Amino acid sequence: MTTDAAARPQPVDVVVLVSGSGTLLQALLDAAADPAYGVRIAAVGADRQCVGLERAERAGIPTFVARPKDFADRDEWDLALAEQVAAAGPRFVVTAGFMRILGPATLGAQPVVNTHPALLPSFPGAHGVRDALAYGVKVTGTTCHVVDAGVDTGPIIEQRVVAVEDDDTEESLHERIKVQERDLLVDVVRRLAREGFSVDGRRVRIGGV
């Protein structure tokens, strides 16, 4: 007779990249604290010193920093970042508020998953919430997608919808989106780790891999 712990599959290693406060990272750290989640955060990397790294360190997660200004150009930085990510041996990478465009070395090594605070392909870029509100849409939301060489142009994994209220400000709308964004990321990372996934053109298929 096997116990539940013995029967449980080994957790899947992921690396998380951050640039700021790390609230998305914290949601993943909280989820990964439960062995049943099936994910081990093998390392947390950043492009600068930030609160997200402090969250990882408090959780006992190895951290690293790859600052673009420490390298001669973007390609050299990308290679260094790819090497540090690879050292942790992840199945895939999660960018959780990481404010840099990744290069071919990092993107070519393993899949990278990101969230964006809008319903892509609408309102990509750094001001998705502001742009959606200014456009006057009645619904917006959050998207989890596979990262490619563009800006928020990769194949979509899953989306959640958030209604826009008449009296919303950018801040109030963003706060409601963040709630859905954290929940979405935790759920998608769990499913990708447990079930596997494949990318076929613009379609991401979870399971059966």
Side-chain angles (χ1 to χ4, degrees):
M1 182 176 180
T2 58
T3 65
D4 288 343
R8 185 179 299 133
Q10 290 296 308
V12 168
D13 284 351
V14 302
V15 167
V16 182
L17 300 179
V18 298
S19 290
S21 63
T23 55
L24 285 168
L25 167 65
Q26 189 64 56
L28 290 171
L29 289 170
D30 293 344
D34 181 354
Y37 185 59
V39 172
R40 185 178 78 94
I41 299 176
V44 172
D47 61 332
R48 69 194 76 175
Q49 291 296 329
C50 61
V51 176
L53 290 178
E54 296 172 9
R55 292 178 187 269
E57 290 162 359
R58 286 197 296 269
I61 308 294
T63 63
F64 62 86
V65 179
R67 298 183 299 182
K69 68 179 183 179
D70 292 339
F71 301 92
D73 54 33
R74 277 183 47 83
D75 288 343
E76 188 177 305
W77 169 76
D78 180 45
L79 284 169
L81 178 64
E83 289 174 359
Q84 293 189 81
V85 169
R91 183 84 57 83
F92 58 93
V93 173
V94 178
T95 53
F98 187 67
M99 303 304 291
R100 299 283 176 179
I101 296 175
L102 297 174
T106 302
L107 291 176
Q110 62 280 302
V112 180
V113 175
N114 181 53
T115 60
H116 178 72
L119 295 177
L120 296 174
S122 297
F123 312 115
H127 304 294
V129 179
R130 180 192 307 173
D131 293 344
L133 193 62
Y135 198 84
V137 297
K138 297 302 181 183
V139 295
T140 184
T142 181
T143 301
C144 191
H145 65 101
V146 176
V147 178
D148 64 9
V151 177
D152 300 321
T153 56
I156 291 169
I157 304 170
E158 190 174 331
Q159 295 177 304
R160 300 276 175 90
V161 174
V162 175
V164 180
E165 305 295 342
D166 289 342
D167 59 350
D168 261 329
T169 63
E170 182 181 349
E171 291 73 22
S172 66
L173 179 57
H174 202 175
E175 284 305 311
R176 294 204 311 284
I177 291 173
K178 285 178 181 177
V179 173
Q180 294 296 324
E181 190 173 18
R182 289 190 289 267
D183 184 66
L184 174 64
L185 183 61
V186 167
D187 182 55
V188 167
V189 168
R190 174 186 60 81
R191 292 175 61 206
L192 297 180
R194 286 184 177 184
E195 303 174 41
F197 66 102
S198 62
V199 180
D200 181 12
R202 294 294 310 174
R203 295 185 178 274
V204 180
R205 303 182 187 277
I206 300 176
V209 177

